[in-house]
Amino acid sequence: MKVIETSIEGVLILEPRVFSDDRGFFMETYHEKRYRDSGISCTFVQDNLSFSKKGILRGMHYQLHQPQTKLVQVPDGAILDVAVDIRRGSPTFGNWVGVELTSGNHRQLLIPQGFAHGFRVLSETAVVIYKCSDFYAPEDEGGFLWSDPDVGISWPAGLPELSDKDAAYPRLGDIPDHRLPSVGK
């Protein structure tokens, strides 16, 4: 497996080994020992699967008291996957990384705790699978507006389709400090 660092420490692009021939391909989507040997030592406790149509945008989500490290991959379709550092006191607070994850490139994105996560579907449909290091807790969920100009995420052109909840989130700068994670927590 190849591990590629991004512009924000801890956000990693992973390229698992893919074995292809005329029949198709084989790859390990997760192997605890290999990931630990590559410096990824969190324990994953929940797997999620999302199916979405082109133009759908989901995000920007996080959990405050039950933060989640996420390992995201796309077995069918293509997305722009985005992680934003929302840790108070971080030198990269408000910075973002966007990576195209597709069924063809087999890449994975590791998003550490303390980051907000969202994605926009680029293909006609997309299946997104992601492992989480803590359980989903709806009462603990937070988020900020996908189009926050202070964060400036470069989403694909055109207005996305959003859930009512995602459309109503505040800008990152309007979230009180006690509703954001801190560095080291």
Side-chain angles (χ1 to χ4, degrees):
M1 173 174 62
K2 184 176 179 184
V3 178
I4 302 166
E5 294 184 6
T6 67
S7 60
I8 302 177
E9 185 178 350
V11 179
L12 301 173
I13 300 167
L14 307 174
E15 294 182 344
R17 290 184 60 196
V18 179
F19 302 92
S20 300
D21 61 26
D22 347 347
R23 300 170 298 158
F25 71 90
F26 171 84
M27 64 182 273
E28 289 178 344
T29 59
Y30 182 73
H31 186 289
E32 183 182 19
K33 182 176 182 337
R34 286 196 179 99
Y35 280 65
R36 283 194 190 285
D37 290 349
S38 295
I40 301 163
S41 59
C42 68
T43 300
F44 293 109
V45 299
Q46 180 177 320
D47 285 0
N48 298 327
L49 184 140
S50 168
F51 173 82
S52 303
K53 300 180 296 183
K54 186 172 189 163
I56 298 292
L57 191 145
R58 298 182 186 270
M60 299 299 297
H61 307 142
Y62 65 93
Q63 289 189 178
L64 182 61
H65 301 292
Q66 291 179 243
Q68 297 174 314
T69 295
K70 294 179 179 176
L71 180 63
V72 185
Q73 59 190 335
V74 177
D76 186 38
I79 65 169
L80 176 64
D81 203 33
V82 176
V84 178
D85 186 350
I86 59 167
R87 299 168 298 164
R88 288 173 294 139
S90 170
T92 55
F93 178 83
N95 291 4
W96 62 276
V97 170
V99 177
E100 193 169 313
L101 301 179
T102 74
S103 53
N105 69 19
H106 306 290
R107 285 181 157 190
Q108 300 173 325
L109 186 63
L110 182 77
I111 302 169
Q113 296 178 358
F115 284 71
H117 173 242
F119 65 86
R120 174 119 185 232
V121 178
L122 306 174
S123 52
E124 287 305 311
T125 60
V127 174
V128 179
I129 296 175
Y130 53 103
K131 295 181 139 344
C132 299
S133 64
D134 205 342
F135 300 105
Y136 175 61
E139 69 285 352
D140 192 41
E141 188 174 45
F144 72 88
L145 190 61
W146 68 278
S147 60
D148 184 337
D150 296 329
V151 177
I153 299 169
S154 294
W155 296 107
L159 287 177
E161 188 175 334
L162 304 164
S163 71
D164 291 342
K165 178 179 74 171
D166 289 352
Y169 278 136
R171 290 167 63 162
L172 181 58
D174 293 336
I175 299 173
D177 281 352
H178 72 277
R179 289 294 305 153
L180 291 173
S182 297
V183 171
K185 288 190 177 183

